[in-house]
Structure formats: structure tokens, C-alpha cells
Amino acid sequence: QVQLVESGGGLVQAGGSLTLSCAASGRTFSNYHIGWFRQAPGKERDFVAGISWTGGVTNYADRVKGRFTVSRDNAKLSVYLQMNNLKPEDTAVYYCAAGSRPILVPTSQSLGYDYWGQGTQVTVSS
């Protein structure tokens, strides 16, 4: 099992940067691919970015390509989402999730993940 806790959310102005952290527990963390999702009030949860269990393959939603970067540090049991040039449309609760399937490219489907964090709020003002 893997337990995930997000942190790093907050209030930022448009054009600013923010880095989210996903702290994990569990000795098999390195065998999971990690996905970042976000959900705005009244909207569905959408895929943002993902990283493979090996850490060598990443996947991004079109809306964040070129602005967001996902990385992981297995030794620290942490995954990060660096967000640059933030826009008001990025405002949402951000979740990290872990999936146990050994797939090369992180899936963008929420059903592909087994464990979820509690989320961290990101608010971008114009």
C-alpha cells in the first residue's frame, strides 16, 4: 500500500510559479506510477501530469505542456509538480495518485490509479 499527502498549494498571482509535493509512504513506492489530477469546483477531476514508476517517462495534459514539470525522488519517497506561468484556469484542488500497474506511460485515466491523496488547494488570481 501507498499513502500520499500533497502539500505546497496556496495563493499566487497569474504568471507566478508554485511547486507541489506529494509525500509517499510505503516500501514499494518506487514500483508505482504517479499521476497529478486537479478538480475545480463543480467540475470533473482532470488529469494534469504523470510520471512512470521508473521515473523516466512523463505525460502531460495539453493544457499544461510547457508550463508544468513532474518529477520524482524515490529515495525521498516524493513526487513534485513544478508549475510555471500559472493561469487563473489552473485554480483547482490538486491531487496526487499512485497506480500499481507497471505501464510505461502514465495513464491519464483516474481509474488507472489505486491510491489518492487528500488534495491541496491552488488558487491563481488574475
Side-chain angles (χ1 to χ4, degrees), residues 104-120:
L104 183 60
V105 179
T107 179
S108 61
Q109 302 298 315
S110 61
L111 292 177
Y113 297 86
D114 307 306
Y115 307 99
W116 294 80
Q118 295 179 335
T120 183

Side-chain angles (χ1 to χ4, degrees), residues 42-104:
K43 296 185 178 181
E44 297 181 351
R45 185 175 298 178
D46 295 325
F47 175 77
V48 177
I51 187 167
S52 67
W53 70 276
T54 62
V57 181
T58 57
N59 189 23
Y60 298 92
D62 290 338
R63 288 172 291 182
V64 305
K65 286 182 178 178
R67 298 189 297 121
F68 291 10
T69 302
V70 63
S71 62
R72 70 187 296 167
D73 188 336
N74 289 342
K76 297 181 178 180
L77 301 180
S78 298
V79 178
Y80 308 97
L81 182 67
Q82 182 179 345
M83 304 182 293
N84 298 322
N85 191 25
L86 284 164
K87 303 176 180 180
E89 304 88 84
D90 297 318
T91 296
V93 176
Y94 283 70
Y95 302 87
C96 64
S100 60
R101 293 187 62 189
I103 54 177
L104 183 60

